[in-house]
Amino acid sequence: MATAPTPATLGDLPFLPAGTTLPPLPYLLVALVAGGGVAVALRRRRPRVAAAHVLALTPWIALGSALHVLYVVGTLPGVLAPFGGSPTVYLTVATLAGATWLVADAVADDAGRVPALLAAAGTLVLAPVVAAAVAGGVSGPGAYWSAVAAVASVPVAAVVRRALGRVEPGVAVTGGVGALAVYGHALDGLSTAVGVTQLGFGERSPLSRVILELDWVPAVPVLGEGWLFLLVKLAVASAVVYLFVPYVREEPSEGLLLLGFVAAVGLGPAVHNLLLFTVTA
């Protein structure tokens, strides 16, 4: 079986997460040209952007995480593997999602159906990737703690979102996208904490690792010292949603897209954590 060229490792550079790589030049050029082409096409067509469209990208965010898990465990086909490395996988999936958005916007007889088509396509692609990840076996402890983190993040995010709404009622304008941003970062914080404390995983991001390794932080049950990391994630996500209120109100399309990116920064690593724990812990 043919194997792809070895990617260039960048994880040793300051401030970059461990495992950061660049694919071989031909793969990098393909990713950049394809991504640039889709970006130009989206800019020219300017499809309608509402909260439903941004939320419909959720399966695509999860797809990027699942593909990277396959890359980490070494089960992506060799010819495709360079597209699954970090950060290339994000550009790869963004290109696929953008192209799908263009097609859905062109073929839908009703503009209101575009989010449903976009979400359905993402789910159809995501399902076999997740199935391939778990085909090699499921870890009982990993699956248990992944489920705990996923479920516990719901009330945590709900409380934070409600408190944020009391401080600034205007956050209602961010709708489900703002809620997804809070939940995504809550899930990232909780999953990281239980992964480090209960499953012995490490943290790849240097800044996050510094927070998790502070000597003066007392440990608490289940989360260990990771509770501080969770609080930081929640504080940052809440602050961003709060600051985005006037932007979303004045420029809803741009504001919601950028807030969706903020949600992806939390949700993507969180889904990666859950799936990686489930198949390797």
Side-chain angles (χ1 to χ4, degrees), residues 15-116:
F15 307 112
L16 288 180
T20 300
T21 62
L22 281 181
L25 185 58
Y27 287 87
L28 182 60
L29 290 176
V30 168
L32 290 175
V33 170
V38 170
V40 170
L42 284 168
R43 185 173 181 82
R44 289 180 176 175
R45 186 171 182 87
R46 292 188 176 275
R48 178 173 177 265
V49 178
H53 297 80
V54 179
L55 292 173
L57 295 173
T58 301
W60 295 95
I61 297 171
L63 174 64
S65 303
L67 284 172
H68 188 55
V69 169
L70 290 184
Y71 174 85
V72 170
V73 300
T75 55
L76 267 181
V79 69
L80 298 178
F83 292 117
S86 175
T88 311
V89 68
Y90 304 118
L91 177 58
T92 301
V93 173
T95 301
L96 293 173
T100 303
W101 195 338
L102 285 169
V103 173
D105 192 66
V107 304
D109 52 4
D110 178 2
R113 294 183 58 212
V114 173

Side-chain angles (χ1 to χ4, degrees), residues 200-253:
F201 280 80
E203 173 54 45
R204 299 196 308 176
S205 172
L207 181 57
S208 300
R209 192 160 56 244
V210 168
I211 297 173
L212 288 164
E213 294 176 355
L214 290 174
D215 293 335
W216 56 266
V217 178
V220 302
V222 180
L223 298 182
E225 293 84 359
W227 63 269
L228 179 61
F229 178 69
L230 172 60
L231 287 184
V232 170
K233 294 285 291 184
L234 290 172
V236 171
S238 299
V240 171
V241 173
Y242 175 88
L243 293 172
F244 262 72
V245 169
Y247 189 17
V248 173
R249 187 178 288 128
E250 295 167 13
E251 298 287 346
S253 295

Side-chain angles (χ1 to χ4, degrees), residues 97-173:
T100 303
W101 195 338
L102 285 169
V103 173
D105 192 66
V107 304
D109 52 4
D110 178 2
R113 294 183 58 212
V114 173
L117 293 174
L118 185 57
T123 302
L124 286 174
V125 180
L126 172 64
V129 176
V130 173
V134 301
V138 172
S139 161
Y144 170 77
W145 286 110
S146 293
V148 168
V151 173
S153 297
V154 175
V156 170
V159 169
V160 172
R161 172 72 174 183
R162 185 174 181 84
L164 187 57
R166 288 184 176 274
V167 173
E168 171 53 85
V171 297
V173 74

